[in-house]
């Protein structure tokens, strides 16, 4: 049997790193494009390429390593707040890197590759409560969301110009071991520092759809390759709507803390109030993607990781434990 070849960009990051590890375990030959090549190699990449994603670098990789079966393009901006602070940097990291990669793959004749782009539910912007269909109108309210939509447009151009096969998965709220940003990580850091009260933005009634990153990776591997010259759009979520207040409570329960929480009532303009995935139309291969794990179970795994990597411990009193060294 011919060895399957995969490229992973952003291979030293959160999602890219998980994909490198799972692909390598499944017997794929993985080439990681990473800002930290040593980390990608440690995760299981067989060969690593450092630096930014460029057209010339993509063409060079095709010449040196041949056409991959799978390309997972995780390089790019990954934080709504950071994109708001420096939108030009985020545009370059997200839209520009996607254009460089896809034009390189197209010019290099990589028409047999299945290219997967992890987009974001941020492209939907303001939506009513309830599941969001992939056919819903896109109306981003953040720079991050606009840039993800811009990267999707680069995907559409590539399938029409070069007849590539691309799937863009609009992931909702990913979490899991290795994530060092966003709600749960920030809560853990505040608890580690000894905060005896948590004040959070919003009302607490905002809703999100949380998906463990390993379930997200399994979804990618279960997706069929679209026909040549096709862009498939897919939602990536658990189809379960959870309020922020309930998510914070579940996180503290998993961590073993019980710090009082209040909400300011101030909703940031780039934070949609409701995001939940409609997964009814997702076409997956057989039974390769099982039902995603419940948030409570995923948070137990994440808090186990946090106790080692964030320094938060439980001293048995129901309050933040003593920070570790």
């Amino acid at each position: 049997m011919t060895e399957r070849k995969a490229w992973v960009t952003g291979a030293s990051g959160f999602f890219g790193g998980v994909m490198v590890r799972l692909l390598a375990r499944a017997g794929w030959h993985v080439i990681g494009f990473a800002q930290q090549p040593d980390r990608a190699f440690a995760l299981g990449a067989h060969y690593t390429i450092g630096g930014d994603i460029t057209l010339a670098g993509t063409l060079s990789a095709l010449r040196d390593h041949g056409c991959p079966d799978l390309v997972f393009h995780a390089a790019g901006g990954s934080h709504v707040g950071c994109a708001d602070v420096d939108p030009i940097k985020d545009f370059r990291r997200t839209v520009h890197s996607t254009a460089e990669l896809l034009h390189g793959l197209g010019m290099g004749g990589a028409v047999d590759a299945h290219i997967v782009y992890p987009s974001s539910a941020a492209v939907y912007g303001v939506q009513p409560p309830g599941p969001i269909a992939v056919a819903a109108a896109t109306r981003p309210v953040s720079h991050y969301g606009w840039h993800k939509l811009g990267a999707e447009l680069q995907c559409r151009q590539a399938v029409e110009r070069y007849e590539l096969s691309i799937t863009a998965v609009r992931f909702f709220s990913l979490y899991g071991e290795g994530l060092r940003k966003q709600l749960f990580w920030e809560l853990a850091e505040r608890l580690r520092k000894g905060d005896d009260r948590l004040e959070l933005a919003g009302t607490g009634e905002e809703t999100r759809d949380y998906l463990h990153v390993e379930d997200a990776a399994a979804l990618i591997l279960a997706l069929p390759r679209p026909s040549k010259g096709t862009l498939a759009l897919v939602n990536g979520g658990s189809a379960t709507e959870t309020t922020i207040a309930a998510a914070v409570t579940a996180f503290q329960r998993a961590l073993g803390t019980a710090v009082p929480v209040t909400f300011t009532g101030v909703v940031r303009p780039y934070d949609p109030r409701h995001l939940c995935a409609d997964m009814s139309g997702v076409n997956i291969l057989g039974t390769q993607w099982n039902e995603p794990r419940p948030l409570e179970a995923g948070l137990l795994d994440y808090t186990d990781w946090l106790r080692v990597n964030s320094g938060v411990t439980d001293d048995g009193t129901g309050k933040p434990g003593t920070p570790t060294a």
Side-chain angles (χ1 to χ4, degrees):
M1 182 176 178
T2 304
E3 186 177 43
R4 295 172 296 179
K5 295 183 291 186
W7 290 8
V8 178
T9 72
S12 57
F14 168 53
F15 201 175
V18 170
M19 284 297 297
V20 168
R21 176 165 50 83
L22 295 184
L23 286 166
R25 283 183 182 177
W28 290 69
H29 181 84
V30 182
I31 296 175
F33 296 71
Q35 295 294 334
Q36 301 175 58
D38 289 346
R39 170 170 164 74
F41 185 77
L43 289 167
H46 297 83
Y47 188 88
T48 58
I49 300 171
D52 295 333
I53 305 298
T54 65
L55 185 151
T58 303
L59 289 171
S60 177
L62 286 171
R63 288 192 298 268
D64 293 343
H65 303 284
C67 179
D69 300 288
L70 173 68
V71 177
F72 181 64
H73 178 43
S78 59
H79 196 287
V80 174
C82 290
D84 195 63
V85 170
D86 193 342
I88 300 302
K89 179 180 180 180
D90 189 78
F91 178 88
R92 289 172 179 153
R93 293 182 64 191
T94 300
V95 184
H96 191 262
S97 78
T98 302
E100 296 267 354
L101 176 70
L102 294 179
H103 282 294
L105 291 169
M107 292 176 184
V111 294
D112 292 325
H114 181 192
I115 303 161
V116 179
Y117 178 65
S119 186
S120 169
V123 303
Y124 293 122
V126 177
Q127 300 286 339
I132 302 171
V134 75
T138 52
R139 47 171 74 96
V141 294
S142 64
H143 290 302
Y144 177 81
W146 279 112
H147 297 162
K148 284 292 190 179
L149 188 58
E152 286 188 14
L153 289 174
Q154 294 298 316
C155 293
R156 188 170 299 281
Q157 178 185 5
V159 300
E160 294 184 4
R161 176 65 178 83
Y162 303 112
E163 294 193 329
L164 299 178
S165 303
I166 304 178
T167 301
V169 187
R170 292 170 173 172
F171 283 109
F172 283 63
S173 297
L174 298 184
Y175 72 100
E177 296 88 322
L179 184 62
R180 298 175 183 270
K181 60 187 175 185
Q182 298 175 357
L183 177 64
F184 299 131
W185 171 264
E186 291 165 5
L187 289 175
E189 286 294 279
R190 289 173 64 177
L191 292 169
R192 181 181 66 82
K193 294 173 182 176
D195 285 11
D196 58 6
R197 179 173 297 276
L198 297 172
E199 183 178 84
L200 305 176
T203 65
E205 294 306 306
E206 297 83 3
T207 58
R208 293 293 182 266
D209 182 339
Y210 292 99
L211 181 67
H212 194 280
V213 67
E214 290 190 359
D215 293 325
L219 172 61
I220 289 170
L221 296 179
L223 291 171
R225 177 182 176 274
S227 57
K228 291 182 181 180
T230 300
L231 171 63
L233 295 174
V234 177
N235 276 338
S238 68
T240 300
E241 199 168 24
T242 303
T243 67
I244 298 297
V248 172
T249 298
F251 177 72
Q252 288 214 71
R253 187 181 302 119
L255 193 59
T257 61
V259 173
V261 179
T262 59
F263 292 88
T264 65
V266 178
V267 179
R268 294 172 294 195
Y270 51 76
D271 279 344
R273 300 205 175 201
H274 303 286
L275 289 173
C276 181
D278 179 353
M279 297 295 290
S280 60
V282 177
N283 179 23
I284 59 175
L285 296 171
T287 58
Q288 292 186 40
W289 192 60
N290 298 316
E291 288 294 319
R293 70 202 71 185
L295 177 62
E296 292 77 7
L299 285 176
L300 286 173
D301 292 336
Y302 185 51
T303 52
D304 284 345
W305 178 84
L306 281 171
R307 288 186 179 95
V308 175
N309 293 276
S310 174
V312 177
T313 60
D314 178 15
D315 63 4
T317 66
K319 296 181 180 181
T322 304
T324 60

